Amino acid sequence: MTRRRRFHPSLAPRAAFAVLGLTGALTIAADAHAGGFEIPDLGARSLGRGGAYAVGAADLTALHYNPGKLAALGGTRFLYTHNLVWHDTAFQRATLSDVWGDDAGTSFPLAENANKLFPLGAAAFLGSDFGLKNWMFAAGIYGPNSVGRHEYPDYGPQSFLLTKMDVLLIYYSLAVAWQLPKKFGVGITLQYVDLPSMQYALVADSTVTPGLNPIPDASSTQLITDLNMKDRVGFTSIIGLWGRPHRRVEIGAGGRVIPINMNPKGTVDTDKETLVSDDVTASMTFTLPVQLRGGLRYLHPLKGDPDRERFDIELDLFWENWGTLDAYYIDFEGAINGQPIQDQVIEKNWRDTFSVRLGGDVNLLDGHLTLRGGGFFETGASQPDYAHLDFPSYNRGGVGGGVTGSFRGVSLTVGFMHIFQQRQEVTEQFGKGFQIRPIAPCPERCGELSGVPANAGVFTSRFDTLGLSLGFHFNELIGKRKRGKRGEPEPAQPEPAPAPAQPTPVTAPAPVEPAPAEPASPADATAPTEASPADGAEVPEPGASTTSTETPQLARLAPRLSGLRL
């Protein structure tokens, strides 16, 4: 018979970290196309609250939102969360105006992203207090919550802007937090930022003449330029803190305090290899900015149990310093058709974004069921004249909802958010997204013309995000199992001690009238003058009460007393 080993609670941290190692590998594989500039939001709980999670973070995604909230979790925990994003992004290029001569009046079909579902938004987190009161340590692997893959027709109406984008960006994270229970908490997350793959492709015009060609044409000097780059080293950190100035009010703040400066480098491929030398390389610079979020949360306690919440409402403000992203700067080394490739600047001219988020939870069924809802509004990073397809960021809003079911240390959360984004229209006169000319750039070699305004047209986009999270609280899970395993009897309850017996009064025997004296024999002279107790019997002390348990002994003494002679 094989002996079954029991799983001791002290093994929970080691087992959970083993789970993280396996899930981390799966996350990296599944997240291989995740990245880009975010849309709300990471994790199913935050989705359901409309992104209002700076103070009410109640799972391990606090590592991202507010590390200070980690210490309030306690124990050993594991969380796997996965976002599925349906995105509908399209570009209707404007009809060419009269300035284009023979090409004037040319209209274009609608260009739509071929990948409507982005299923690879995986993340995994693990945390443990390692038995240290008021501390929490956590690790996580995740990427920005966004759409990292776009694919449009080659030489389509949008091809001067983008034909393909495929990005992998991963945050490897370690966090530590400490709290003064129910009063204050602080935490920090350190992140190693890895960009192992970035593919960015568009149609460029390799002509050496000043003439402009506004219509995509595979048979012309135009060619698909495909950049394949990576940057394996980046660092940043997130700090967070919270406080409770009143038993029903919490405030908190957190955010990325160090910008992420990326400098990916790699090779350049085209669909017309005969025109390009084999040693063409490129490098690019851009920055992921500082972020800061803060909020105010009202907690309504459960009646009769002030330590538990019936519901909460949270209001957050979120600022992102996207104004630091003014352009993509791309440096080339190599030649096309014998001509050196000029460095390129793709203008972005982004601005800071501001967001207001409101949401909350309601706890039902003794904490086993939680419903939530919320919404947000956010200003766009992209200015109208610089609208683009790679990361469409315009004024937008969203509404979300969700539910969590939990039992014996296992929780399952489902969250959903619909994000609607402002329609963006750009005219030829004001458009600032120009066709790339790597050999004869504009305006220097275009007769002082600015170039072909490739982003003239109408941009539309919307997003639907479904989030699923599975969480384990190992201390609670293992503790429940040890106390109630199937097939094991419950420990016997000790029986209560019997109440002491009440003393029963015993009536003394009546005096016996002595018989006439007779000559005593020598044997009679030795007759006892006092009754002797039976062997092993206890003799009550003089004056002590005789209990009912002594009655049989008195019965045995009665015959001897009756034969006593005076």
Side-chain angles (χ1 to χ4, degrees):
M1 179 177 179
T2 303
R3 185 178 180 183
R4 180 178 298 176
R5 297 181 60 188
R6 291 192 176 185
F7 191 68
H8 194 271
S10 63
L11 299 177
R14 281 178 280 174
F17 275 102
V19 173
L20 179 65
L22 175 60
T23 308
L26 296 175
T27 298
I28 293 175
D31 205 23
H33 304 289
F37 301 160
E38 293 104 320
I39 57 174
D41 224 341
L42 174 69
R45 288 179 183 257
S46 180
L47 277 177
R49 291 170 63 95
Y53 214 45
V55 192
D59 61 16
L60 289 173
T61 58
L63 175 149
H64 168 76
Y65 291 102
N66 185 344
K69 294 293 291 186
L70 285 171
L73 299 177
T76 299
R77 299 167 181 263
F78 174 78
L79 176 69
Y80 177 81
T81 184
H82 200 122
N83 281 2
L84 305 173
V85 182
W86 287 266
H87 58 109
D88 187 2
T89 305
F91 174 61
Q92 178 60 67
R93 189 175 174 187
T95 300
L96 296 181
S97 65
D98 294 340
V99 301
W100 296 106
D102 293 341
D103 293 325
T106 301
S107 60
F108 303 92
L110 181 69
E112 295 184 276
N113 185 9
N115 297 312
K116 300 292 185 182
L117 172 63
F118 185 69
L120 305 177
F125 304 89
L126 176 66
S128 179
D129 59 12
F130 295 104
L132 299 176
K133 188 177 181 181
N134 300 326
W135 287 87
M136 192 69 170
F137 305 87
I141 305 174
Y142 68 102
N145 187 62
S146 72
V147 177
R149 175 187 289 174
H150 296 278
E151 187 170 353
Y152 292 93
D154 293 341
Y155 296 98
Q158 85 307 319
S159 58
F160 295 154
L161 296 174
L162 188 69
T163 59
K164 187 174 184 179
M165 186 181 76
D166 213 342
V167 181
L168 163 60
L169 183 65
I170 305 173
Y171 300 140
Y172 298 94
S173 309
L174 294 174
V176 60
W178 173 86
Q179 69 164 350
L180 183 63
K182 301 181 182 179
K183 297 293 184 182
F184 172 79
V186 63
I188 184 170
T189 299
L190 302 178
Q191 294 187 318
Y192 174 82
V193 183
D194 187 11
L195 181 67
S197 175
M198 178 177 179
Q199 183 180 11
Y200 196 97
L202 52 77
V203 171
D205 193 346
S206 64
T207 183
V208 296
T209 66
L212 299 177
N213 184 357
I215 301 176
D217 184 1
S219 62
S220 68
T221 55
Q222 297 173 11
L223 71 169
I224 296 176
T225 304
D226 191 350
L227 282 65
N228 296 280
M229 300 178 291
K230 58 185 176 181
D231 182 1
R232 305 306 301 266
V233 180
F235 298 95
T236 188
S237 67
I238 300 170
I239 62 172
L241 53 86
W242 64 273
R244 185 177 290 186
H246 185 273
R247 62 187 179 88
R248 294 193 179 188
V249 177
E250 281 185 353
I251 57 176
R256 180 192 296 151
V257 295
I258 301 175
I260 306 172
N261 297 312
M262 305 303 299
N263 183 213
K265 300 177 181 180
T267 61
V268 179
D269 298 323
T270 76
D271 61 335
K272 299 176 181 178
E273 295 293 340
T274 57
L275 299 180
V276 182
S277 61
D278 294 335
D279 57 352
V280 175
T281 61
S283 64
M284 182 178 181
T285 59
F286 62 91
T287 299
L288 301 179
V290 169
Q291 303 172 335
L292 180 62
R293 69 183 82 230
L296 175 69
R297 187 168 81 105
Y298 169 78
L299 302 75
H300 191 84
L302 190 66
K303 187 176 181 180
D305 190 353
D307 293 333
R308 298 173 60 190
E309 299 173 19
R310 170 60 71 188
F311 68 87
D312 79 311
I313 300 175
E314 180 172 344
L315 177 65
D316 288 357
L317 300 178
F318 185 32
W319 166 75
E320 297 178 275
N321 186 210
W322 284 113
T324 58
L325 182 64
D326 58 343
Y328 298 155
Y329 296 94
I330 308 175
D331 298 331
F332 289 98
E333 295 288 341
I336 296 178
N337 207 16
Q339 300 291 321
I341 302 175
Q342 304 296 312
D343 295 340
Q344 299 294 313
V345 177
I346 302 178
E347 296 285 349
K348 287 296 181 180
N349 200 26
W350 275 22
R351 55 195 173 189
D352 292 357
T353 62
F354 299 88
S355 177
V356 179
R357 306 179 177 191
L358 179 67
D361 289 8
V362 177
N363 295 313
L364 305 173
L365 300 182
D366 195 27
H368 294 299
L369 180 68
T370 302
L371 303 180
R372 59 182 55 90
F376 79 96
F377 173 78
E378 182 176 87
T379 61
S382 177
Q383 299 193 47
D385 297 344
Y386 294 85
H388 208 283
L389 285 172
D390 52 3
F391 302 113
S393 176
Y394 319 125
N395 292 343
R396 58 194 177 195
V399 291
V403 59
T404 296
S406 59
F407 184 69
R408 290 192 176 183
V410 180
S411 63
L412 177 64
T413 301
V414 179
F416 177 82
M417 180 182 287
H418 173 73
I419 300 174
F420 49 91
Q421 191 156 240
Q422 183 182 23
R423 177 179 179 269
Q424 205 72 23
E425 185 171 3
V426 183
T427 64
E428 283 187 352
Q429 181 182 1
F430 295 104
K432 297 294 191 297
F434 296 106
Q435 178 193 63
I436 299 296
R437 291 167 55 97
I439 305 300
C442 296
E444 294 86 356
R445 298 179 63 178
C446 299
E448 297 305 315
L449 296 175
S450 299
V452 177
N455 69 336
V458 177
F459 296 81
T460 56
S461 54
R462 64 178 181 224
F463 306 88
D464 290 292
T465 305
L466 175 65
L468 304 172
S469 295
L470 181 63
F472 297 90
H473 185 188
F474 289 98
N475 299 69
E476 183 179 348
L477 176 63
I478 297 171
K480 292 285 187 181
R481 291 179 60 188
K482 285 182 69 66
R483 286 194 296 270
K485 284 188 175 181
R486 295 185 64 181
E488 293 187 5
E490 294 292 332
Q493 299 296 327
E495 295 183 2
Q502 296 298 322
T504 303
V506 179
T507 304
V512 179
E513 190 69 26
E518 293 182 3
S521 65
D524 293 336
T526 62
T529 59
E530 186 174 352
S532 299
D535 291 341
E538 296 183 1
V539 179
E541 294 293 331
S545 299
T546 303
T547 63
S548 59
T549 57
E550 297 170 324
T551 303
Q553 297 176 6
L554 294 176
R556 290 195 298 269
L557 293 176
R560 298 186 182 184
L561 292 174
S562 62
L564 188 64
R565 295 182 181 181
L566 300 178

